[in-house]
Amino acid sequence: MAKLIHAPLISEEVAQLRAGDSVLLSGTIYTGRDAAHKRLCALVAQGKPLPFNVANQVIYYAGPCPAKPGDAIGSCGPTTSYRMDAYAPVLCDLGLSGMIGKGQRSEAVVQAIRRCGGVYFAATGGAGALIATCVRAAKVIAFDDLGTEAIRELQVENLPLIVAIDAKGGNLYEEGPARYRREAADTRP
């Protein structure tokens, strides 16, 4: 059964999540891809304020398609996360609690997640239209000139995710294949 969690995230709740857990996320999250992350980190380096307080927040690595009339958002599937790996530790050190994307993360990001008690969620690639049905509202809050890569504030309800990397460093991308190899070896004649 999926665990129900709410964003912004509560550190005690994040600490109880384990790699492989299914969750349904509701609340406020933000979108951002590599161009937006580069700008966020440039602001940090310059000592300037960010367009939103990242503490306890969740960033979804997505560049949504334009919304059809009557919809909050267009298709919004996850972007490959390693593209944000150069920037993620900086944001984690500022208190970012969660990231949503697809694919493995670098060792530096895994260490930042552990150090800061965060979590990395995997969203299903290719399911952007389904994910969009979980978005109740969306608005651009920063970097409008980036178009689809602008930072958006999303209100989501029951967004289905898998905990890929937990606050203790448990990593589904390592543990899953290892378990499969063990189980496959146990079934050989």
Side-chain angles (χ1 to χ4, degrees):
M1 177 175 263
K3 296 179 180 183
L4 302 175
I5 60 173
H6 194 271
L9 298 175
I10 299 168
S11 59
E12 295 81 16
E13 191 173 50
V14 172
Q16 294 181 22
L17 297 173
R18 294 293 171 260
D21 285 352
S22 294
V23 301
L24 295 173
L25 177 65
S26 296
T28 302
I29 65 173
Y30 298 87
T31 64
R33 289 178 35 167
D34 39 324
H37 276 71
K38 183 176 182 178
R39 288 192 186 177
L40 290 172
C41 288
L43 290 171
V44 171
Q46 296 165 12
K48 294 182 178 176
L50 296 180
F52 68 101
N53 181 356
V54 299
N56 303 315
Q57 300 298 339
V58 177
I59 294 181
Y60 178 28
Y61 302 148
C65 295
K68 294 179 189 173
D71 289 346
I73 201 164
S75 181
C76 58
T79 297
T80 303
S81 299
Y82 76 80
R83 294 169 49 190
M84 275 54 72
D85 281 2
Y87 312 110
V90 172
L91 299 178
C92 287
D93 287 337
L94 292 174
L96 182 69
S97 290
M99 297 163 276
I100 304 169
K102 66 178 180 182
Q104 296 187 41
R105 305 307 301 268
S106 69
E107 185 57 30
V109 174
V110 174
Q111 291 305 316
I113 290 169
R114 288 182 70 190
R115 180 175 65 250
C116 300
V119 62
Y120 169 55
F121 300 105
T124 303
L130 176 63
I131 291 170
T133 66
C134 299
V135 178
R136 301 295 176 244
K139 67 179 178 179
V140 173
I141 63 160
F143 314 139
D144 191 36
D145 62 302
L146 293 178
T148 190
E149 290 198 41
I151 294 179
R152 287 171 173 73
E153 180 183 272
L154 305 182
Q155 300 300 320
V156 297
E157 185 176 328
N158 294 328
L159 177 61
L161 304 167
I162 302 293
V163 175
I165 301 172
D166 64 40
K168 296 192 181 302
N171 189 334
L172 187 61
Y173 291 106
E174 294 173 359
E175 296 166 10
R179 187 176 78 200
Y180 175 79
R181 286 190 294 275
R182 283 192 307 273
E183 290 173 1
D186 290 345
T187 60
R188 290 189 187 130

